[in-house]
Amino acid sequence: MKELYYRPLTLEDTETVLNLNLRPHDKEEAKVLWGCDPKSAIAESLGTSLEAHVIIFKGEIVGACGVSRRAEGGGIPWFFVTDDFDRFNKVTVARLAKEILQGWVDKYGFLANVASPSPSMKRWLEWLGFTVEEWKAPYIGEFFRFHIRKESE
């Protein structure tokens, strides 16, 4: 079995996912963007998802990702992990992320969201294929808006 993989989230996974000890970056984003604690932000993400997956590392759930519905069409990708993320093999993570993202782009056609600005986040999003723009959110502050569209066939 692979050391790092993802699978669809099950009802049995929900409690574990709601109680993950997220990276400080993810905790701060929940507070700023959602105006609530991380557990409530995770519950909201799960509750609005078109699909959700757990990320498994060495047999343990260390994160989750999914796509929520956009009123304008397409989807809103979301992703959060524990501090264990820093222990992952970066090449393996990159391959897994590309695989997940390509499936979503093929399925939903257009994905967009916002993220806390940092040079490493921008490089990561651009490497994944997103167009990244700086954005000043009213009453919140500076963020990145990012989006990707399925190429016409």
Side-chain angles (χ1 to χ4, degrees), residues 30-93:
K31 181 178 161 188
V32 172
L33 289 175
W34 292 85
C36 61
D37 63 282
K39 188 173 185 173
S40 297
I42 293 168
E44 182 69 22
S45 293
L46 294 176
T48 61
S49 289
L50 298 167
E51 64 179 275
H53 304 274
V54 289
I55 300 163
I56 310 290
F57 181 60
K58 293 186 177 180
E60 292 186 35
I61 295 173
V62 295
C65 60
V67 176
S68 296
R69 183 178 323 278
R70 286 183 78 240
E72 305 86 358
I76 302 168
W78 53 266
F79 172 78
F80 53 82
V81 292
T82 65
D83 284 328
D84 288 329
F85 185 75
D86 294 332
R87 294 188 307 152
F88 302 164
N89 177 294
K90 301 305 181 212
V91 172
T92 304
V93 170

Side-chain angles (χ1 to χ4, degrees), residues 4 41 81-82 118 128:
L4 177 69
V81 292
T82 65
S118 75
L128 287 171

Side-chain angles (χ1 to χ4, degrees), residues 5-17:
Y5 65 98
Y6 73 105
R7 65 166 170 73
L9 182 137
T10 65
L11 188 58
E12 292 78 25
D13 297 327
T14 305
E15 192 63 32
T16 300
V17 169

